Amino acid sequence: EDGTADELLEQIKVEKEKLIKEGKIKKEKKLPEIKKEELPFDIPRNWEWVRLRELGITQTGNTPSKTKKEYFGDYIPFISPGDILNGVINYQNQGLSEKGKEVGRVSGKYSILQVCIGGSIGKCAINLVDVSFNQQINAILPTPVAEPRYLYYWSRTISSWLRENSSATTVSIVNKGRFAKAPISLAPLPEQRRIVAKIDSLSGKSKRARD
């Protein structure tokens, strides 16, 4: 009775088409089909395996020129990998000025920020305010019809996939293109919300137990 993930995907496509028409995002290249060998487990019939980018807008951060002091200030938080710890973001460490924001990359509230370089690949958190972020972080802003916390919990599970699909250089890097291809099992929206509520409940119990 929850409907299907296919129906949700159609709603997401409509939202993205609207953003394209409004000039807020560019038309995206088609993603490759997910192969059977990429699937880690079976899912219910009304779920779907999708690529991460199908659920929102992906981007990679950047760093404004540090030679221009006028780019830095406290107008908007500027996040680096060290500011993400145990699923929480430290917004107080660095910031950009209003001018710096114009040349930086900004991701809206309820984006998932995920570290894409080195030994910290896969570390992630949801931002609770608009933030700017550096090039060592990829981000996805879910469309309004997607559930951010469901996507966040999924993002916590794909660290090994990201490492396996990082570039083979001295320092492992996951670029935006590879990040966008991460496979995610998509449930109908009511089921996503029940899953999130269950995880939140179990996490709360675990925390109390530790305390």
Side-chain angles (χ1 to χ4, degrees):
E1 296 178 2
D2 285 339
T4 68
D6 266 344
E7 292 168 345
L8 181 57
L9 278 173
E10 283 304 313
Q11 293 178 52
I12 291 171
K13 285 177 185 176
V14 168
E15 287 290 332
K16 292 185 89 172
E17 284 297 326
K18 182 182 172 185
L19 292 172
I20 290 168
K21 286 179 182 177
E22 291 173 352
K24 293 180 180 178
I25 61 171
K26 294 180 181 178
K27 192 173 178 65
E28 299 166 328
K29 291 182 180 178
K30 189 175 180 181
L31 290 163
E33 295 289 328
I34 296 179
K35 298 175 183 176
K36 283 187 178 179
E37 54 267 31
E38 292 183 79
L39 308 182
F41 50 80
D42 294 329
I43 55 176
R45 271 185 246 174
N46 62 334
W47 292 33
E48 287 289 336
W49 281 103
V50 299
R51 301 284 185 190
L52 180 66
R53 197 192 71 198
E54 293 180 73
L55 304 182
I57 302 159
T58 54
Q59 58 181 339
T60 297
N62 71 345
T63 300
S65 173
K66 292 188 175 179
T67 62
K68 298 190 175 182
K69 293 182 180 179
E70 65 269 26
Y71 286 164
F72 296 87
D74 57 6
Y75 185 74
I76 188 171
F78 180 64
I79 307 304
S80 63
D83 298 318
I84 300 173
L85 184 63
N86 298 325
V88 177
I89 298 174
N90 177 6
Y91 301 100
Q92 308 302 321
N93 221 5
Q94 307 173 81
L96 299 183
S97 65
E98 192 168 359
K99 187 178 284 189
K101 179 187 172 184
E102 297 303 314
V103 296
R105 296 272 164 74
V106 175
S107 202
K109 187 178 180 181
Y110 301 133
S111 299
I112 291 88
L113 306 184
Q114 193 142 31
V115 178
C116 61
I117 190 168
S120 295
I121 281 178
K123 193 168 62 162
C124 65
I126 286 187
N127 59 313
L128 302 179
V129 297
D130 291 358
V131 297
S132 55
F133 54 104
N134 75 11
Q135 63 275 17
Q136 297 179 328
I137 294 172
N138 289 318
I140 177 165
L141 174 61
T143 64
V145 292
E147 175 55 59
R149 286 184 62 76
Y150 178 81
L151 193 50
Y152 162 67
Y153 282 132
W154 237 112
S155 295
R156 288 176 57 175
T157 74
I158 62 174
S159 297
S160 58
W161 187 95
L162 292 171
R163 283 193 291 270
E164 288 167 11
N165 288 272
S166 63
S167 59
T169 59
T170 306
V171 179
S172 298
I173 296 173
V174 180
N175 64 26
K176 187 179 77 169
R178 289 191 178 100
F179 176 69
K181 293 175 186 173
I184 303 289
S185 66
L186 183 67
L189 197 55
E191 181 71 354
Q192 289 183 40
R193 288 170 177 159
R194 287 194 292 270
I195 289 168
V196 167
K198 187 66 172 176
I199 296 173
D200 284 346
S201 172
L202 293 171
S203 300
K205 287 178 182 176
S206 298
K207 185 178 186 302
R208 285 193 292 274
R210 287 196 302 273
D211 291 343

